[in-house]
Amino acid sequence: MAVARILLVNSSVVSRRSAARVLEEFPDMRVCGAATDADSAIRRARGSHPDVVLLDPGLASGDAKTAFAGLRRELPDLPIILFGETATRGAPMVLDAISHGGAGYVERPEVGAERVIRDRLVPMIREAVGLSAPAPK
């Protein structure tokens, strides 16, 4: 079975852990690495060879924009899905990233994030990397 290798880029350890836990419930999803800022995101992407990056558009100090630009420059064919809260500082970054080749965006709600990951993010990941949903058991 084909598996999507996922790099999580989020400065919150709680958000990274909860997303990883839900994603790995799916047999075709595997978290291959995590990063907290732009520099570590680019370094980890080079080293872990993910199929897709989940980037929090609300990273502090404009770091999401830096991470997105660096990943596009270093690995131009790597799909980047924006996944996070945009209420405070991420909205302009989302628009900019989508207009520059971002593979999609899923808002992470404060409550019910697990359901959003299962119902919206996993199908988007599959589409971005060209996977079909596994057959039910």
Side-chain angles (χ1 to χ4, degrees), residues 2 63 82 100 133 136:
D63 226 20
L82 301 156
H100 288 92

Side-chain angles (χ1 to χ4, degrees), residues 28-49:
D28 59 340
M29 301 284 136
R30 179 169 304 125
V31 174
C32 67
T36 60
D37 58 33
D39 290 337
S40 64
I42 296 164
R43 195 170 50 253
R44 300 270 164 124
R46 278 194 221 121
S48 63
H49 308 287

Side-chain angles (χ1 to χ4, degrees), residues 91-114:
M93 193 276 158
V94 169
L95 296 174
D96 189 50
I98 295 299
S99 70
H100 288 92
Y105 168 66
V106 175
E107 175 80 20
R108 180 186 182 104
E110 287 186 36
V111 177
E114 293 84 6

Side-chain angles (χ1 to χ4, degrees), residues 96-127:
D96 189 50
I98 295 299
S99 70
H100 288 92
Y105 168 66
V106 175
E107 175 80 20
R108 180 186 182 104
E110 287 186 36
V111 177
E114 293 84 6
R115 183 174 183 160
V116 169
I117 293 169
R118 288 183 189 103
D119 295 348
R120 295 191 56 223
L121 188 59
V122 167
M124 189 177 287
I125 292 168
R126 287 180 178 137
E127 182 178 336

Side-chain angles (χ1 to χ4, degrees), residues 6-103:
I6 303 161
L7 174 64
L8 297 174
V9 182
N10 191 308
S11 56
S12 165
V13 68
V14 173
S15 293
R16 286 192 316 272
R17 285 184 183 162
S18 69
R21 181 181 46 75
V22 176
L23 289 166
E24 293 198 347
E25 291 174 4
F26 294 86
D28 59 340
M29 301 284 136
R30 179 169 304 125
V31 174
C32 67
T36 60
D37 58 33
D39 290 337
S40 64
I42 296 164
R43 195 170 50 253
R44 300 270 164 124
R46 278 194 221 121
S48 63
H49 308 287
D51 299 309
V52 63
V53 173
L54 300 183
L55 174 62
D56 178 9
L59 286 178
S61 305
D63 226 20
K65 191 170 186 172
T66 302
F68 184 87
L71 289 164
R72 298 307 288 156
R73 184 178 56 254
E74 298 278 330
L75 302 159
D77 296 327
L78 180 63
I80 302 169
I81 297 173
L82 301 156
F83 176 61
E85 299 173 28
T86 59
T88 55
R89 49 180 190 240
M93 193 276 158
V94 169
L95 296 174
D96 189 50
I98 295 299
S99 70
H100 288 92

